[in-house]
């Protein structure tokens, strides 16, 4: 796969500006790329968190260094958060963005 750096930068900047203009915080969904470089660029552009579809994806985002992760799907297995026999770093649970801004969106 080949990515166009200029197009990526444009899209990230455009979304960051849109969010700023409309007082919206964004937690982009990382499932499409699962790329540490693209995730970092989105966070550096102002995303308050990253969104994952599953606990497994959230663990990968933690490995990328993401501190705040929204899990978009219901988690039915409490062991997925580290209660299993396999030692894993715990995933902090957050159901809402930071309280500094009144409007929020994830996706």
């Amino acid at each position: 796969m080949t990515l166009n750096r200029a197009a990526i930068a444009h899209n990230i900047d455009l979304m960051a500006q849109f969010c700023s203009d409309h007082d919206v915080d964004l937690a982009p969904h990382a499932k499409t790329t699962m790329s540490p470089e693209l995730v970092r660029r989105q966070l550096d552009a102002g995303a308050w968190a990253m969104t994952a579809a599953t606990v497994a994806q959230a663990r990968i985002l933690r490995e990328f260094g993401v501190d705040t992760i929204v899990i978009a799907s219901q988690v039915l297995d409490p062991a997925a958060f580290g209660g299993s026999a396999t030692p894993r770093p715990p995933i902090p649970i957050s159901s809402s963005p930071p309280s500094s801004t009144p409007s929020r969106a994830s996706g």
Side-chain angles (χ1 to χ4, degrees):
M1 174 174 31
T2 303
L3 300 177
N4 181 319
R5 288 180 192 262
I8 291 169
H10 169 77
N11 290 346
I12 290 173
D13 292 344
L14 184 67
M15 197 62 183
Q17 187 61 53
F18 176 87
C19 290
S20 176
D21 291 348
H22 297 282
D23 194 28
V24 172
D25 287 342
L26 185 68
H29 215 303
K31 73 177 179 181
T32 304
T33 64
M34 291 305 288
S35 161
E37 294 85 4
L38 293 179
V39 165
R40 180 55 40 207
R41 289 178 78 166
Q42 290 175 307
L43 291 170
D44 290 347
W48 74 273
M50 292 305 293
T51 300
T54 65
V55 173
Q57 289 178 359
R59 289 194 183 288
I60 293 168
L61 291 174
R62 291 288 286 166
E63 290 174 11
F64 292 172
V66 178
D67 292 324
T68 307
I69 301 165
V70 176
I71 299 177
S73 305
Q74 292 180 348
V75 178
L76 302 177
D77 180 8
F81 286 105
S84 67
T86 305
R88 297 180 180 173
I91 298 174
I93 307 295
S94 175
S95 61
S96 62
S99 60
S100 62
T101 308
S103 301
R104 309 286 178 214
S106 70

